[in-house]
Amino acid sequence: MNNHLLWAPHAWIDGQWQRSVCLGVNTQGLWTDITANVHTPPAGATVLTGPVLPGMVNAHSHAFQRAFAGLSERRESDSDDFWSWRDRMYGVALRITPAQMHAVAAQLYVEMLKGGYTQVCEFHYLHHTGDGSPYEDPATLSWALADAAEEAGLGLTLLPVLYERAGFARPALRDDQRRFSGTPEFIHSLYRSAQSSGRAHVNAGVAIHSLRAASRESIAALMKRVGDDDVPIHIHVAEQMQEVNDCLAATGARPIEWLCRELAPDHRWQLVHATHATAAEVNSVAVAGAGMVICPSTEGNLGDGLADLPAWLAAQVPMAIGSDSHVSRSWAEELRWLEYGQRLNLQRRNVAAAPGLGQPSTAARLFDAALDGGRRAAGAKKWGLTNGARADALVLETQSPGLLGMPPTHLLDALVFATNAPAVREVYVAGKQVVADGRHPQEDVFAARFAGVMRELW
C-alpha cells in the first residue's frame, strides 16, 4: 500500500463535525496528517462523496449465533426466557462444522461492515469437534473466524473463552456444552497462537465465560499465565437475575461485587452486559478502571433487563457496544435501543445527553463513549480519526431517507434516531475500501454460501 490522501466534506474529529478534512493514509494503513479546513482537495486525493465517521468496534460477538438469529421468536410452552433460549441455541453449537462456521462468520462480517463496524471482538467458546474431542489443530475454529474476517476485510480481536462447568453448584459441563470445555492452559495456548499468528488486523486477548462457568482457581490460573500482557480480558457478568441469585447463594456476594473483590480487575477487563448492578458495584468498577460492554438488541431480545445507563455514564466507566447474538448488526440500532430503553424506563427523553458537560447530543455522547470503550475492548492504543490510529472510515449516504436534507450539525443525531434504511455508502479498513456504493465485492458469494449452510443446519 502506498501513501495516499482522502478528502471529505465533513468528518467527525474530536467529538464534532469538522469541515473540508484531508486525511493521509501511510504505508502501514494508519492515519497521518489529518487536517481540517482544506477547502480544495489536494491533487491526487480520493474525494469522498459524503461525511465521514470513524469505524466502530463491535465489542461482543458470538459469530456462530448468526445462524440462529430469527429462529427463536416463537413460544410453544408456558414460559420462555434466556435459559430456554440458551438450550435451543446449543443445537447450533453442537452441529456447526469449521467450514460452516467460516461461511456464517463471513456473511456476518460483511453485514457488520455495512452496519458500520470495522473491528469485532469474538467471545469464542466453541473449541472442539461435535463429540467434544479436540481437533488435530486445537485452533481450527479460531482460524475459521480469522479466515472469514480476512476475506471480509474486517479487523478481529479473538478472545478464546475459559468454560469449564455448568454452574456454581455443577462442577462439570453438561453434555450439550461439550464443545466449550477448556483448561486455563488450553485457553492461553489459543490466545498465544492467535496473538503470534502474524495475520493482518488480528489481535487476541482472553475471556472467562462467566463466574458460574469457571472456578476462582481456574480464573486465577489463567490470569497468572496472561501475567502483565496488556491485552483485553472479557467476562459475561450479571446478565440475568438468576445468575445474580445463584452467585449470592454460592458465594454470599453479587457477581460484580465478588469479581471486584476477589479478582481485582484492572483497565484490561471488560464486563459484558453488567445489566444488574448496584450503585456500589458501579463505583467498584469505576475505581478498578475496568470497562463494560452493553448489547442492547440482544439484551432486549433475551429479556435480560435494562442496565442503569445514567449511573454508568455518571461514574465515567468506559462503555463499548456489541451485537452479541446478532439479531441486529448495526451500531446505530444498538445506540438507538440503548437510549430508547432508558426513555421507556424513566419516561424521559434524551437520557444520555449531558448539556452540563457540553454534550447536548444524545447520539454524539453515546457514539463517542462507544468509540473509546470499543478501542479499549479491542486492545487498540488509538482509534478514530486521529493520527496513528488504523485508517478506518465510514462514508455516509446523505441521500438516504433518514439523512436527506439534514443539516451537517445533526447528521449523527439523524443517523441514530431517524434512519432505518442503509446509510453507510463506503467503508474503509486500514485505508482499503471494503464497501463501495453500499455493497461488498464478495457479498453475493458469501450470501449464497451462507444460505446453503442454513439449509444444511435447519
Side-chain angles (χ1 to χ4, degrees), residues 146-307:
D147 289 344
E150 184 176 6
E151 283 189 14
L154 183 78
L156 172 68
T157 302
L158 190 71
L159 302 166
V161 175
L162 178 65
Y163 202 143
E164 65 176 4
R165 65 185 187 184
F168 289 103
R170 302 182 67 179
L173 291 170
R174 295 173 11 173
D175 182 62
D176 57 2
Q177 297 171 322
R178 58 186 178 270
R179 299 189 77 177
F180 311 159
S181 66
T183 63
E185 296 85 354
F186 176 76
I187 299 306
H188 188 254
S189 71
L190 291 181
Y191 150 66
R192 293 298 301 165
S193 293
Q195 191 77 323
S196 62
S197 68
R199 290 171 176 252
H201 317 314
V202 173
N203 68 314
V206 298
I208 301 102
H209 181 273
S210 55
L211 296 181
R212 70 176 185 272
S215 68
R216 187 192 191 286
E217 293 74 21
S218 292
I219 297 172
L222 178 59
M223 293 302 98
K224 183 176 181 180
R225 284 170 172 79
V226 172
D228 294 328
D229 291 1
D230 191 11
V231 296
I233 302 167
H234 290 222
I235 183 171
H236 290 139
V237 68
E239 180 178 2
Q240 283 279 326
M241 276 308 301
Q242 181 178 320
E243 176 192 349
V244 175
N245 294 333
D246 289 350
C247 190
L248 277 165
T251 71
R254 296 169 60 90
I256 298 174
E257 175 189 9
W258 190 93
L259 176 71
C260 290
R261 186 183 71 204
E262 300 293 329
L263 297 177
D266 57 24
H267 71 279
R268 299 174 297 175
W269 284 68
Q270 299 294 320
L271 281 59
V272 181
H273 301 302
T275 308
H276 303 285
T278 66
E281 288 175 314
V282 171
N283 182 65
S284 293
V285 175
V287 170
M292 60 94 75
V293 180
I294 195 163
C295 307
S297 64
T298 289
E299 290 152 6
N301 185 271
L302 299 181
D304 289 340
L306 291 170

